[in-house]
């Protein structure tokens, strides 16, 4: 399986919103994504493409030398195939290219798969935001990865990641 990455554009939003709705109890709206990709100068959003279809996406804000992950999701039928890992590695790679040397994110304590992925990429749990998720009042674990860049992945010609 060969996955490529592109900057998120308006024409990706129908597929992104399908993944978003299948992934989160309170999905972002089309307008929220449009605002991020068209108006937020701090934001960088990418899509993972396989066989001409969006199979995942992720976004971050770059503020000074820190990257803050806003969201990451993979199409439900393709989870468990390392797509989330290469998506995160590409986000880290792009953050480094934009001058970030650390990265942070919030994750639900109940999202064991995501926590395991982030820990495997070197993120460390550093704090807790009480009742962060308004849909369930679940806390958020704050995770940090210091001393970017990412290591241990191979990018092939044309920006392709081989899984």
């Amino acid at each position: 399986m060969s996955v490529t990455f592109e900057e998120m554009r308006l024409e990706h939003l129908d597929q992104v919103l399908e993944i978003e709705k299948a992934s989160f109890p309170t999905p972002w709206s089309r307008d929220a994504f449009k605002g991020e990709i068209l108006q937020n100068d701090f934001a960088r959003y990418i899509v993972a493409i396989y066989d001409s279809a969006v199979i995942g996406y992720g976004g971050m804000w770059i503020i000074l030398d820190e990257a803050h992950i806003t969201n990451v999701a993979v199409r439900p039928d393709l989870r468990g195939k390392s797509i989330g890992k290469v998506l995160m590695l590409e986000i880290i790679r792009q953050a480094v290219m934009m001058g970030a040397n650390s990265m942070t994110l919030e994750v639900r304590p109940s999202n064991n798969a995501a926590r395991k992925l982030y820990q495997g990429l070197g993120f460390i749990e550093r704090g807790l935001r009480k009742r962060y998720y308004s849909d369930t009042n679940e806390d958020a674990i704050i995770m940090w990865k210091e001393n970017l860049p990412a290591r241990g992945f191979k990018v092939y010609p044309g920006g392709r990641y081989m899984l």
Side-chain angles (χ1 to χ4, degrees):
M1 175 180 239
S2 176
V3 177
T4 58
F5 295 93
E6 297 177 11
E7 185 173 344
M8 188 184 288
R9 297 184 307 274
L10 294 179
E11 57 263 29
H12 296 127
L13 288 185
D14 287 341
Q15 294 176 78
V16 166
L17 288 167
E18 285 181 30
I19 298 168
E20 177 79 4
K21 289 174 187 170
S23 301
F24 301 107
T26 307
W28 282 20
S29 68
R30 178 179 300 274
D31 286 341
F33 278 105
K34 282 174 66 175
E36 288 291 285
I37 62 179
L38 295 176
Q39 298 170 342
N40 185 345
D41 293 335
F42 298 107
R44 174 83 172 173
Y45 284 79
I46 62 172
V47 291
I49 305 289
Y50 172 71
D51 198 22
S52 302
V54 174
I55 61 169
Y57 63 90
M60 66 181 157
W61 290 2
I62 303 287
I63 301 173
L64 301 175
D65 62 350
E66 294 180 357
H68 183 112
I69 300 289
T70 56
N71 49 16
V72 175
V74 172
R75 213 170 73 187
D77 62 318
L78 294 173
R79 292 180 185 156
K81 300 183 183 304
S82 297
I83 295 163
K85 180 178 181 179
V86 294
L87 182 56
M88 282 296 299
L89 289 169
E90 177 63 12
I91 291 168
I92 293 167
R93 187 186 73 78
Q94 289 194 22
V96 169
M97 289 176 38
M98 297 172 74
N101 61 35
S102 63
M103 181 173 276
T104 187
L105 56 82
E106 291 91 11
V107 62
R108 293 175 189 261
S110 62
N111 192 343
N112 292 321
R115 289 173 63 194
K116 182 178 176 183
L117 168 66
Y118 302 144
Q119 288 168 345
L121 292 171
F123 284 82
I124 297 169
E125 295 182 7
R126 291 271 174 84
L128 195 69
R129 296 191 198 283
K130 292 289 194 182
R131 296 183 304 279
Y132 181 77
Y133 296 100
S134 60
D135 54 359
T136 61
N137 284 324
E138 190 172 2
D139 297 340
I141 297 170
I142 305 164
M143 300 184 81
W144 281 90
K145 179 175 177 63
E146 305 287 343
N147 302 315
L148 300 177
R151 300 208 189 286
F153 65 99
K154 173 85 172 155
V155 182
Y156 291 84
R160 295 182 180 275
Y161 288 77
M162 299 302 291
L163 304 178

